[in-house]
Amino acid sequence: QSHVGHSFEIPEYTSEVTGLGTLRVLEALRFLNLKKTKFYQASTSELFGEKPSKSNSFNENSPMVPRSPYGVSKLYSYWITKIYREAYGFYTCNGILFNHESPRRGETFVTRKITMYFAKKILGSKEVLYLGNLNAKRDWGHARDYVEAMWKMMQKKTPSDYVISTGKQYTVKQFVNLVLKELKINFRWKGKGINEKCFDEKGNCIV
C-alpha cells in the first residue's frame, strides 16, 4: 500500500502491509538462516515529512518526522530493516527514494492522473481535470534511473541506507504546463489560490 492519501482512509491495512509486511519477510530470512540473501527495503521520502530546517535538501542524517499513516508505517520498515542488519548480520539496506515516475505509475497518482486526462482530452473528452494544491512541490525522477540506483546499492560490499533524488523540485502546475506544451495545447491560467483555473484557447475550463 504505497499511496499517502489512501493511508488516511485505511491506516490499519497500511500498517499491516507496509509496516509489518517488512518484518514478516525479515523474520522468514532469520528463521531460515538465509545469510546469503540480500534484502532491499523500498523506503520513501515520506519519512522526512517536512521541509529541512537549515538546508533545502535531505540526506541520510535528516530528521524523520512522517506526516501520514503511510509515512509512519514506512518508518517502522526503515528501522526494523536496520535492526536486522545490526542485530543479525543480514545484508539489508533501505533505499529512501523520492518520487519516481514512469508509464507504469498507478493511475491514482497525480502525474498519471494529469497525463491520462490530457491523453483523453486530445481524443475529444469534454471532462474537467480537478486537482488540489497546484503549488505543491515534488522531486520527480524517472523510475528507470531509480531502479538502477537500487541495483547499485545491492552491489556494495557493506550494506547501508541511501537517499536518492534528482535534487530538483517542480510544482503540480509546472507539471501540467509541461504536459500542455508537449501536446501543443494552447492554454491560459486565470484566478488565484483555490480559484485558479486553466482554460483552453476556446475559453473552456480544462483544469
Side-chain angles (χ1 to χ4, degrees):
Q1 201 309 89
S2 61
H3 199 288
V4 175
H6 289 172
S7 74
F8 284 95
E9 300 168 6
I10 47 173
E12 187 174 359
Y13 175 80
T14 300
S15 300
E16 281 282 349
V17 174
T18 310
L20 290 177
T22 300
L23 172 63
R24 291 177 180 125
V25 176
L26 289 168
E27 266 295 273
L29 293 177
R30 186 180 71 85
F31 182 77
L32 297 170
N33 196 33
L34 301 178
K35 288 289 186 177
K36 293 183 179 180
T37 300
K38 293 183 178 182
F39 179 79
Y40 173 81
Q41 204 286 114
S43 203
T44 170
S45 60
E46 293 295 326
L47 293 185
F48 302 124
E50 57 186 21
K51 293 181 180 179
S53 55
K54 295 182 180 179
S55 65
N56 195 35
S57 63
F58 295 101
N59 59 43
E60 292 81 2
N61 298 314
S62 297
M64 295 180 180
V65 189
R67 298 294 188 184
S68 68
Y70 170 71
V72 171
S73 300
K74 278 294 191 181
L75 187 59
Y76 177 89
S77 286
Y78 169 84
W79 279 110
I80 203 67
T81 297
K82 286 175 69 74
I83 287 170
Y84 271 66
R85 181 171 72 218
E86 295 166 0
Y88 301 115
F90 282 104
Y91 190 110
T92 65
C93 67
N94 288 289
I96 307 169
L97 276 52
F98 279 72
N99 297 60
H100 36 296
E101 312 293 322
S102 84
R104 296 187 179 188
R105 183 63 134 159
E107 296 175 14
T108 58
F109 291 85
V110 70
T111 47
R112 288 283 279 146
K113 187 177 179 181
I114 292 168
T115 54
M116 289 197 66
Y117 166 78
F118 283 112
K120 293 176 182 177
K121 176 61 70 176
I122 62 174
L123 293 175
S125 172
K126 303 298 182 184
E127 295 179 5
V128 175
L129 175 62
Y130 292 91
L131 296 173
N133 183 6
L134 292 169
N135 297 313
K137 292 182 178 181
R138 288 292 181 270
D139 183 317
W140 282 302
H142 198 291
R144 184 177 294 167
D145 298 323
Y146 282 68
V147 171
E148 182 179 354
M150 296 177 201
W151 180 83
K152 286 184 175 180
M153 291 178 208
M154 303 296 278
Q155 307 315 305
K156 302 289 286 184
K157 185 176 181 180
T158 304
S160 189
D161 307 314
Y162 303 89
V163 174
I164 306 295
S165 72
T166 69
K168 298 178 181 178
Q169 287 188 321
Y170 299 92
T171 65
V172 173
K173 182 178 178 180
Q174 285 176 303
F175 191 96
V176 172
N177 290 345
L178 285 169
V179 174
L180 286 164
K181 290 175 182 177
E182 184 70 23
L183 296 175
K184 296 180 173 57
I185 297 174
N186 294 322
F187 65 95
R188 67 182 185 279
W189 291 92
K190 291 184 178 180
K192 293 182 179 181
I194 61 174
N195 295 315
E196 190 170 18
K197 298 176 182 178
C198 185
F199 297 84
D200 63 18
E201 60 185 353
K202 296 181 180 179
N204 299 312
C205 179
I206 54 177
V207 180

